[in-house]
Amino acid sequence: MKHGGHAGGIDLAGVAGPIRPFETAAAWRFRRGLEDNEDSPRMPKINDVTDLSYEGEIAVVTLNSPPVNALSVPVTEGLFDAFNAAIASDAKAIVLICEGRTFIAGADIAGFGTIRTPRATLQDVQKVMENSPKPVIAAIHGTALGGGLETALTAHYRVAVPSAKVGLPEVHLGLLPGAGGTQRLPRLTGPEKALELVTSGRHVGAKEALESGIVDELVPEGQLREGAVAFARKVLAEGKPLRKVRDNDDKVAPFRGKPELFDTFRKANARKFRGYKAPGHNISAVEAAVNLPFDEGIVEERRLFVELVTSPESAAQRYSFFIERAAQKIPDIDPATPTLPIKSVGVIGAGTMGGGIAMNFANAGIPVTIVEMAQANLDRGLGVIRKNYENTAKRGGITEAQVEERMGLLTGSLDMNDLADVDLVIEAVFEDMGVKKEIFTKLDAICKPSAILGTNTSYLDINEIAAVTKRPESVIGLHFFSPANVMKLLEIVRPAKVKKEIVATAVKLAKQIGKVGVVVGVCYGFVGNRMLTKRQLQANDVVIDGANFWDVDRVLYDFGFPMGPYAMMDLVGLDVIKDKPGEKSMRGAMVDKGRLGQKGVGGFYDYDDKRNSTPSPVANEIIDEFRKKAGKTPRPVSDEEILERCMFIVVNEGAKCLEEGMAIRASDIDVIWQNGYGFPPYRGGPMYWADNVVGLPKILERLKVYQKEIGDAFKPAALLEKLVAENKKFADFAA
Ligand code: 3HC
């Protein structure tokens, strides 16, 4: 769709007078003696972002506020004026449509928390639309989200193209739909579906939206404007009523005075919603829609919304939205840098990592050649992938046909020469520098000159790997997190010699395969694992000092992590990480006693057949031995000490990553922790938490205390000292 009215930015409405009802753009130009603009008919504007035009008796309000038509002040003011003008005109029906990539994608998130006094609020716009004496039809393409869908719900009818999606994703921002969404949606879909939608924030495809009553008709792809105008004419011709969603009672009435639905839903999802404030408020708002008259429900929705919008949880979750996008911007790489097309991929290694990595590409429709050393490994790897897909299909995530389609994109091979033509190779074999060097030497000889050579190493020096090739400028780290088909993080590790085009390609590719890419530097463990290792060491040390390992798990679980470090080791398998020669960790000692974790007889915990865990006596014996060896008499360790030692040391390591330039910005570290390690989004991330909740002065003070009491592991980073001295935050630091 082309934008029709702002070339040159001159307000033509002021020059030529407003367009008249029933007047086409061509007639208006003719009346004013204007030439056709070279590429588009010029329309009078309501304001910089809103046009009003007419197709015969149908007024068309067009919004164009890139990138996503968010409801900024000019948008609500423009819509308000446009609707009033359309109502005052002779038009008989009004279509609301958006230009660009999407229908209104919601309130302007950037504007939350700032004081704005628009001449017309979203609520004013909604009132004008809903009370319009002429039918209003919302025409949806792209994504009608949050306040965008709520605007559409005040239209009398909604049409959409098949590719459109609608949703109320406010819950991800720690909010609820605060413009009537919690009151209107249940009146269309019934409260059960509404509960699911507002608490998941899920985007609903057009077909499902049609089936569940959210939209009234689908119009052919690419013909939204024509389709919506035709629909408006049909409404007029058939004398259809001005249907207000607020007046629908039949979907909610059966549930009135019956709290069971809501209580059951709360209980069933308690674990999923743990720590978050918004899901509970969303449920209460839908409950209000069922039990209260519409206007009272709106008052309750507002009350709940205000509680959320002023909460620290929502502030952190809104921050999380923007930092994911900020991470896509690399200061020394021009966004216009050309990227390389990735049409085929090779993965070396069909183990857990390699298989998971390959699935990401198959999911995105990109063919993958998986190379293994032995047929048995290849068969096993491909078998695991198939099983994963089939499980997803069983849960309804994909269709059986999609399972076959995706499997069809995967080709197994025992010969690295089959990678001669792929655009990207990702090596995912075990962590052994010698083996990796051998593979990269071979890849260098086999792959075409334009191929990108990636390694999924978690710890090894990628500069050293790159140096064995004649094309170090094409070697990059692509560090996926296990399970690689599920975890959203992709650390894009940037060795010294890699070309900018290749980094830019990796950033783009990450988005294409549904990952959150974060560019980091080469150091031991890169940013994520380097910081995690520090937490792990403290998790061990506090136990040696006297804490129970299950208390360490409990404290970190209560903080909001999905599980604590010991439960995590049991899940991943205690034998996955090997002790270095000459070293013996508690984990290694557990392995020696045959305790491999959940996949075996148990690990730090014993498990019953429902996976309920109890601390294992074997673990306690081993811990006692380690305490004795360290000459420690166990002392009581407070929850506060556990949390401080485990998390402040993480923050301190993050500061070191920043000062060394291993992370570009503090918020990138937060993206890594949310998407790779389950850091609770409602706390923002370790650096945000340090900046805004704990405060850097307190962290510095406590690190100094622990440095004195425990040792130099707690030596504060120079950057932390500097920021505290300057009364600044991590967020103020730019490398
Ligand atoms: N407010 C302000 N800026 C927004 C925005 C919003 N609601 N939604 C997207 N943007 C910005 C992004 O920050 C990004 O800016 P950048 O280019 O400067 O980084 C740009 O628009 C493009 O966004 P994406 O990179 O995310 O583009 P995609 O095409 O991948 O996705 C999208 C588009 C699906 C619309 C996605 O941006 C999205 O999910 N947006 C948020 C939608 C949302 O949460 N809406 C509800 C808002 S809260 C609300 O409405 C409250 C109401 O109930 C009162």
Side-chain angles (χ1 to χ4, degrees):
M1 237 187 293
K2 229 161 190 175
H3 172 222
H6 307 149
I10 307 159
D11 184 353
L12 282 175
V15 181
I19 201 160
R20 292 174 182 161
F22 304 115
E23 191 172 44
T24 62
W28 177 80
R29 277 197 306 275
F30 178 76
R31 183 161 59 81
R32 290 292 150 190
L34 293 174
E35 292 297 318
D36 259 3
N37 184 281
E38 66 291 349
D39 63 350
S40 59
R42 307 193 95 177
M43 297 283 190
K45 297 194 292 184
I46 294 293
N47 69 0
D48 276 350
V49 295
T50 325
D51 288 334
L52 174 61
S53 60
Y54 295 88
E55 292 208 13
E57 74 283 29
I58 312 296
V60 181
V61 175
T62 308
L63 188 62
N64 187 5
S65 180
V68 297
N69 291 311
L71 292 157
S72 60
V73 171
V75 167
T76 53
E77 290 181 348
L79 288 178
F80 185 73
D81 292 346
F83 273 102
N84 277 319
I87 290 168
S89 77
D90 292 344
K92 295 222 169 69
I94 309 166
V95 166
L96 168 61
I97 193 166
C98 293
E99 295 218 351
R101 65 216 254 195
T102 180
F103 191 79
I104 304 165
D108 183 4
I109 308 170
F112 281 127
T114 57
I115 296 172
R116 295 176 295 182
T117 45
R119 184 165 49 73
T121 62
L122 174 57
Q123 281 71 21
D124 295 328
V125 175
Q126 292 181 302
K127 246 183 237 156
V128 178
M129 287 174 64
E130 197 162 55
N131 296 329
S132 159
K134 303 167 179 180
V136 175
I137 293 98
I140 300 172
H141 77 294
T143 41
L145 300 177
L149 178 59
E150 292 175 291
T151 304
L153 292 180
T154 55
H156 305 112
Y157 297 94
R158 286 153 293 283
V159 299
V161 286
S163 62
K165 293 200 164 110
V166 303
L168 294 173
E170 282 87 344
V171 72
H172 296 306
L173 303 168
L175 297 171
L176 56 78
T182 65
Q183 305 306 297
R184 288 191 181 86
L185 188 69
R187 286 177 161 83
L188 285 178
T189 64
E192 276 171 298
K193 177 111 187 169
L195 278 177
E196 189 260 307
L197 292 182
V198 296
T199 56
S200 70
R202 185 165 69 84
H203 295 186
V204 174
K207 188 161 162 272
E208 186 184 345
L210 179 71
E211 284 158 6
S212 50
I214 303 172
V215 304
D216 300 291
E217 192 170 284
L218 299 190
V219 301
E221 201 67 53
Q223 294 174 32
L224 182 58
R225 186 179 168 113
E226 300 87 317
V229 168
F231 183 87
R233 292 205 169 109
K234 192 167 74 180
V235 167
L236 293 175
E238 293 175 7
K240 287 193 184 212
L242 294 176
R243 245 184 31 193
K244 292 184 189 174
V245 176
R246 56 174 286 155
D247 296 337
N248 280 1
D249 195 47
D250 55 332
K251 287 280 168 58
V252 288
F255 298 90
R256 197 156 296 142
K258 293 184 184 152
E260 307 83 63
L261 168 67
F262 301 96
D263 293 344
T264 312
F265 190 80
R266 280 190 187 96
K267 254 189 228 134
N269 291 286
R271 200 180 158 93
K272 195 157 98 199
F273 299 157
R274 177 178 71 96
Y276 291 92
K277 202 178 169 91
H281 279 49
N282 272 278
I283 299 170
S284 298
V286 174
E287 198 165 8
V290 169
N291 291 322
L292 299 177
F294 182 82
D295 288 326
E296 286 175 37
I298 287 284
V299 172
E300 179 62 358
E301 178 191 87
R302 179 108 309 248
R303 186 186 73 75
L304 292 164
F305 181 84
V306 170
E307 268 186 31
L308 290 178
V309 81
T310 50
S311 69
E313 289 89 347
S314 175
Q317 286 178 264
R318 269 141 42 204
Y319 162 82
S320 305
F321 176 82
F322 286 108
I323 63 175
E324 268 190 28
R325 282 148 187 89
Q328 313 311 304
K329 293 167 189 143
I330 318 304
D332 67 327
I333 301 184
D334 186 332
T337 303
T339 55
L340 307 173
I342 305 293
K343 298 218 170 71
S344 58
V345 172
V347 172
I348 303 184
T352 316
M353 267 332 263
I357 292 170
M359 286 174 78
N360 289 302
F361 292 97
N363 296 349
I366 301 172
V368 186
T369 305
I370 308 179
V371 178
E372 254 296 347
M373 305 258 283
Q375 188 66 42
N377 295 353
L378 198 54
D379 292 345
R380 197 182 316 121
L382 287 168
V384 170
I385 296 178
R386 174 172 282 281
K387 215 167 112 210
N388 280 337
Y389 278 140
E390 278 168 358
N391 285 339
T392 313
K394 255 185 234 145
R395 288 196 308 268
I398 52 173
T399 62
E400 281 300 334
Q402 280 172 313
V403 174
E404 295 313 321
E405 214 175 278
R406 292 178 195 193
M407 286 309 295
L409 288 168
L410 303 173
T411 312
S413 164
L414 298 176
D415 185 358
M416 269 173 64
N417 286 304
D418 287 341
L419 302 179
D421 288 326
V422 297
D423 297 319
L424 162 72
V425 181
I426 301 174
E427 164 278 309
V429 304
F430 53 95
E431 293 284 76
D432 180 306
M433 184 55 102
V435 174
K436 302 225 180 213
K437 281 184 172 172
E438 203 182 310
I439 289 176
F440 273 77
T441 308
K442 283 192 191 149
L443 286 176
D444 194 22
I446 292 169
C447 294
K448 65 184 179 187
S450 62
I452 300 176
L453 307 184
T455 170
N456 178 53
T457 179
S458 317
Y459 290 95
L460 299 177
D461 182 348
I462 303 178
N463 286 317
E464 200 179 324
I465 297 175
V468 302
T469 71
K470 290 186 204 70
R471 46 171 129 174
E473 70 283 357
S474 298
V475 178
I476 193 163
L478 295 172
H479 182 210
F480 290 80
F481 288 70
S482 188
N485 53 318
V486 177
M487 298 301 288
K488 283 190 73 192
L489 179 61
L490 177 65
E491 272 186 331
I492 298 168
V493 194
R494 188 175 179 181
K497 294 195 175 154
V498 70
K499 272 191 300 198
K500 288 182 179 176
E501 287 84 340
I502 288 184
V503 180
T505 302
V507 170
K508 188 170 155 205
L509 185 66
K511 190 165 179 184
Q512 199 185 335
I513 60 172
K515 299 285 172 205
V516 180
V518 182
V519 175
V520 297
V522 176
C523 57
Y524 186 74
F526 316 127
V527 171
N529 282 350
R530 171 173 164 177
M531 291 169 72
L532 183 73
T533 306
K534 298 292 170 185
R535 190 185 83 174
Q536 202 59 41
L537 288 175
Q538 278 316 302
N540 285 345
D541 284 358
V542 286
V543 166
I544 298 295
D545 285 348
N548 294 313
F549 67 85
W550 57 91
D551 285 330
V552 177
D553 277 354
R554 176 183 49 79
V555 166
L556 289 166
Y557 178 81
D558 287 350
F559 182 80
F561 284 102
M563 64 186 81
Y566 290 92
M568 170 71 92
M569 277 190 275
D570 274 7
L571 182 69
V572 175
L574 299 185
D575 56 337
V576 167
I577 304 174
K578 307 267 182 280
D579 283 340
K580 292 198 188 100
E583 177 194 73
K584 182 57 73 191
S585 66
M586 289 195 299
R587 185 189 35 72
M590 297 278 291
V591 174
D592 290 348
K593 297 237 165 171
R595 300 200 57 94
L596 304 185
Q598 283 199 32
K599 65 182 171 187
V601 293
F604 283 95
Y605 298 91
D606 290 324
Y607 297 87
D608 67 14
D609 46 8
K610 289 197 184 106
R611 288 217 200 154
N612 295 316
S613 60
T614 39
S616 147
V618 184
N620 281 329
E621 277 165 31
I622 290 177
I623 288 165
D624 273 344
E625 280 169 29
F626 272 74
R627 283 177 182 151
K628 276 194 201 112
K629 256 191 267 166
K632 297 257 179 172
T633 315
R635 64 170 170 89
V637 181
S638 70
D639 288 358
E640 193 187 7
E641 181 177 339
I642 293 174
L643 186 68
E644 286 189 352
R645 283 174 61 181
C646 288
M647 288 311 298
F648 288 4
I649 202 156
V650 162
V651 171
N652 196 42
E653 199 61 25
K656 290 182 192 166
C657 290
L658 266 183
E659 71 192 6
E660 292 169 24
M662 292 300 146
I664 293 169
R665 41 181 99 74
S667 65
D668 283 5
I669 298 177
D670 291 337
V671 175
I672 288 174
W673 273 75
Q674 278 192 29
N675 293 286
Y677 302 94
F679 194 100
Y682 57 82
R683 291 192 203 275
M687 309 313 268
Y688 177 93
W689 178 69
D691 268 351
N692 299 295
V693 181
V694 187
L696 299 195
K698 165 145 190 213
I699 295 202
L700 179 61
E701 179 208 312
R702 298 300 297 155
L703 285 172
K704 284 181 174 164
V705 169
Y706 288 126
Q707 186 185 8
K708 214 186 269 164
E709 287 174 0
I710 295 162
D712 273 347
F714 287 94
K715 186 173 186 302
L719 176 65
L720 182 58
E721 303 251 22
K722 182 168 174 288
L723 291 174
V724 171
E726 293 171 359
N727 199 16
K728 286 189 176 155
K729 294 180 172 188
F730 287 130
D732 301 321
F733 176 78

